Amino acid sequence: MTVPPFAVISGAQVQEALDGREKQIVELVEATYRLHGAGASVNPPSYFLRFPDRPSARIIALPASIGGPARVDGLKWISSFPENVANGIPRASAVLILNDHDTGYPFACLEASVISATRTAASAALAADWLSRGRERPTRVGFFGAGLIARYIHSFLAGTGWSFDEIGVHDLSADSAAGFCGYLERSGAAGPITVHPGAEQLVRSSDLVVFATVAGRPHVGDLSWFEHAPLVLHVSLRDLAPEILLASTNIVDDVEHCLKADTSPHLAEQLTGNRDFVAGTLDDVMAGRVTPPADRPLVFSPFGLGVLDLAVGKYVYDEVARSGELRVVDDFFSELGRYGRG
Ligand SMILES: NC(=O)c1ccc[n+]([C@@H]2O[C@H](COP(=O)([O-])OP(=O)(O)OC[C@H]3O[C@@H](n4cnc5c(N)ncnc54)[C@H](O)[C@@H]3O)[C@@H](O)[C@H]2O)c1
């Protein structure tokens, strides 16, 4: 048994490894959800580090272990500092540590804001595909919150075959809405792009609604906006009032994870005292154990699982290793003789 070499993988290398691989990554995320659903993973609750002096900020630790062919353990350590955006840098920054299955040694540190955005977008595209199967396929998408995650979700939808007749955008920040529209135009998105100054217009004119705001508590609570029974990807988790969820079919990625940390499903559980409003997980839908009805709003709330970061991170590691571009830090682990060097 030897100590594995330790590599550092930059954001540029991560982006190169993932570029144009939307279909493969969605397949990888699907396989990982199935593994997780079958119990071939360890995914304890995420740990939230918060600060009394910076209440909007947090750093989250997501430890996980994944079985199956990828077989790897590790940790994502991801910061969310929403005020960064006003200063011209992204909200989220992250690293992912991969640990060797046999020795436990960390063998790689990867830039992980791209990995995190990628697995989030791949999960959203996967959910859009599976959850639209029993209903009319959405043709009008609306982005509620138009930051980096919205951009990744759009590019994953486009990269997995979605095209839309209309794209709606709503953001509290006119600059964010304009920046996102600029991205959409450069991406060659077909159909008219409309910026909706009001949230209601956005929801009513979309049959696929993507929430990607940084709202800390629910701000959408009018049931009548959802009477056309849209498919909702509630990626930012805290936008919808519990009453909206109680009138919808709810699918999550993992029930234990999602009903925590003041997410809208957590608030719905607190309101009702039970979890009956959760129809099941995306894995349940993929396995045919749950078939959501077409005549109610359908809300997917993905808490975001560390196993997805690990699966995508290991994919990136393998791609970089295959290309011969691994940057190994020599002597990273140096104290290797139990009683010193002989
Ligand atoms: N569920 C998951 O697995 C997962 C993973 C990654 C990120 N996220 C979440 O995605 C969200 C978006 O992340 P991002 O990196 O794109 O952030 P960002 O800061 O780049 O963009 C967020 C945008 O939302 C807008 N916004 C905030 N409140 C709003 C409101 N009430 N109505 C309309 N617009 C509003 C902001 O103006 C901003 O443009 C975050 O909440 C993040 O926690 C979830």
Side-chain angles (χ1 to χ4, degrees):
M1 213 176 242
T2 54
V3 170
F6 185 82
V8 174
I9 298 180
S10 71
Q13 288 180 296
V14 172
Q15 283 189 287
E16 197 183 325
L18 294 173
D19 188 37
R21 309 281 175 85
E22 288 86 357
K23 284 193 181 127
Q24 289 98 311
I25 301 300
V26 170
E27 281 166 18
L28 177 63
V29 164
E30 174 169 344
T32 308
Y33 274 140
R34 289 186 194 272
L35 270 178
H36 181 67
S41 66
V42 186
N43 203 137
S46 303
Y47 184 86
F48 284 65
L49 178 65
R50 297 186 189 276
F51 317 97
D53 59 330
R54 288 156 290 165
S56 67
R58 62 179 190 227
I59 311 182
I60 312 178
L62 292 86
S65 171
I66 183 171
R71 223 173 62 154
V72 66
D73 311 327
L75 171 80
K76 183 175 70 170
W77 180 233
I78 182 161
S79 308
S80 172
F81 280 56
E83 272 90 57
N84 283 358
V85 171
N87 296 314
I89 60 173
R91 175 190 62 83
S93 56
V95 291
L96 175 71
I97 302 291
L98 300 180
N99 291 78
D100 179 45
H101 178 274
D102 296 328
T103 61
Y105 268 76
F107 64 91
C109 175
L110 296 85
E111 194 288 333
S113 70
V114 173
I115 288 169
S116 187
T118 296
R119 64 81 151 143
T120 303
S123 152
L126 180 71
D129 175 18
W130 277 95
L131 299 179
S132 62
R133 290 188 188 188
R135 52 179 56 219
E136 214 168 299
R137 195 169 159 94
T139 57
R140 302 172 305 156
V141 66
F143 290 91
F144 200 130
L148 184 139
I149 293 293
R151 166 162 71 86
Y152 267 77
I153 292 175
H154 176 267
S155 67
F156 262 80
L157 289 170
T160 52
W162 287 83
S163 66
F164 299 98
D165 297 342
E166 290 170 34
I167 302 182
V169 178
H170 169 68
D171 197 293
L172 292 182
S173 150
D175 284 349
S176 296
F180 186 63
C181 290
Y183 150 75
L184 288 172
E185 279 154 17
R186 285 194 305 281
S187 79
I193 300 165
T194 308
V195 175
H196 296 284
E200 178 175 357
Q201 286 166 288
L202 187 279
V203 174
R204 285 191 186 274
S205 59
S206 309
D207 38 28
L208 175 62
V209 187
V210 179
F211 280 92
T213 74
V214 285
R217 60 187 65 86
H219 54 97
V220 172
D222 190 332
L223 255 178
S224 69
W225 298 6
F226 295 83
E227 59 199 4
H228 57 302
L231 171 54
V232 179
L233 304 178
H234 188 210
V235 177
S236 37
L237 294 166
R238 295 175 185 86
D239 301 276
L240 297 173
E243 292 75 14
I244 305 281
L245 297 195
L246 297 177
S248 306
T249 303
N250 291 281
I251 302 295
V252 298
D253 53 354
D254 179 297
V255 178
E256 285 302 327
H257 281 252
C258 199
L259 273 64
K260 279 199 172 75
D262 295 334
T263 62
S264 300
H266 189 199
L267 301 184
E269 181 187 31
Q270 288 167 346
L271 190 67
T272 59
N274 63 57
R275 298 178 167 188
D276 297 352
F277 64 94
V278 180
T281 64
L282 188 57
D283 181 53
D284 288 330
V285 174
M286 296 190 304
R289 291 186 292 270
V290 169
T291 305
D295 58 351
R296 298 182 92 199
L298 177 52
V299 180
F300 177 57
S301 299
F303 194 75
L305 300 178
V307 283
L308 298 188
D309 297 294
L310 274 188
V312 175
K314 183 64 167 43
Y315 174 92
V316 168
Y317 178 90
D318 290 343
E319 285 298 305
V320 176
R322 207 189 332 272
S323 70
E325 303 290 329
L326 266 190
R327 294 178 198 154
V328 169
V329 180
D330 291 329
D331 302 328
F332 189 82
F333 296 107
S334 60
E335 183 62 288
L336 299 177
R338 196 162 183 219
Y339 299 110
R341 288 172 199 231

